[in-house]
Amino acid sequence: MLLCIDCGNTNTVFSIWDGERFLCTLRTATEHTRTADQYFVWFSTLLAHHRIETRITDVIISSTVPRVVFNLRVFADRYFGARPLVVGKPDCLLPHAPRVDQGTNVGPDRLVNTAGAYDRHGGDLIVVDFGTATTFDVVAHDGAYVGGVIAPGVNLSLEALHMAAAALPHVDVTKPQAVIGTNTVACMQSGVFWGYVGLVREICARIRGEYDRPMRIIGTGGLASLFAQADVLFDTIEDDLTMHGLTVIHAYNKENGAA
């Protein structure tokens, strides 16, 4: 069994892949101080709760938080006897090398999304990922990551608004009933929701214009389904795109003797 671990700035997600489907997906807050033993207690307790009995033989990790990787490596080695693949490290091969400026380090989350999106949809794609940051990844016709855009995440923008303006409350991200808000909460929800709809539409339009060929737009991340309620922004929503990308990269390394 393959354990896929996706560590983002806010949450870390663990999914078990049996070769055909994900048996379960578990989520915890990202904390760089969490030890390998703490990961195992949390992980094994939830597996027992879900009545899942399985033997992990392989582990692959994607992490945008470098400080957590050490303890995740220890967790994989100590409890599963597995030397994990870490996306972005030299010993982890990619199906298609990115084409970016020399010396640029591409975030592992973007490499994983690229691999997963190309495997499912082919090339000429824009992958919009609603995470701590809102990222736009451009996938070329041959599956290579060739650049993109990074914008502030939705929740990050809301938090900044609350912190900078003491009179403004915390609000949930939701689609408002009308664009014109008649109270403070409705005004903030409208600004965030329709503001990000405009941001996604405009950036994708400009990427398409610069790329100068037809492109499909793939939405992923926790808030993708929410923004899909607006005008047509995405051709497809992929809830498990990152995890699928990890299975693709792991399989590629197996085939090429690197895992």
Side-chain angles (χ1 to χ4, degrees), residues 42-180:
W42 168 83
F43 183 71
S44 58
T45 300
L46 284 181
L47 287 189
H49 173 77
H50 290 288
R51 298 181 181 178
I52 295 175
E53 297 182 7
T54 186
R55 181 173 177 268
I56 304 297
T57 58
D58 297 90
V59 179
I60 184 168
I61 301 168
S62 169
S63 178
T64 58
V65 185
R67 288 189 295 176
V68 306
V69 173
F70 173 78
N71 283 321
L72 288 173
R73 282 182 181 271
V74 174
F75 165 70
D77 179 64
R78 179 177 297 168
Y79 292 103
F80 308 120
R83 179 177 179 271
L85 279 172
V86 179
V87 179
K89 298 298 183 182
D91 59 344
C92 181
L93 305 178
L94 297 173
H96 307 277
R99 294 196 293 273
V100 293
D101 293 344
Q102 187 173 2
T104 299
N105 291 320
V106 180
D109 54 331
R110 311 185 83 173
L111 298 173
V112 171
N113 282 346
T114 295
Y118 182 74
D119 183 69
R120 284 182 170 170
H121 303 285
D124 297 328
L125 306 173
I126 304 170
V127 180
V128 185
D129 189 349
F130 293 89
T132 304
T134 301
T135 59
F136 300 74
D137 304 325
V138 179
V139 184
H141 68 281
D142 60 353
Y145 170 85
V146 293
V149 175
I150 301 174
V154 178
N155 288 310
L156 188 63
S157 295
L158 276 173
E159 183 65 22
L161 190 61
H162 170 72
M163 293 295 291
L168 297 180
H170 284 288
V171 299
D172 294 328
V173 184
T174 186
K175 181 182 179 182
Q177 294 182 346
V179 176
I180 301 173

Side-chain angles (χ1 to χ4, degrees), residues 13-16 22-27 50 243:
V13 182
F14 294 66
S15 289
I16 299 175
F22 288 108
L23 299 181
C24 72
T25 296
L26 310 173
R27 185 181 300 267
H50 290 288
M243 286 301 171

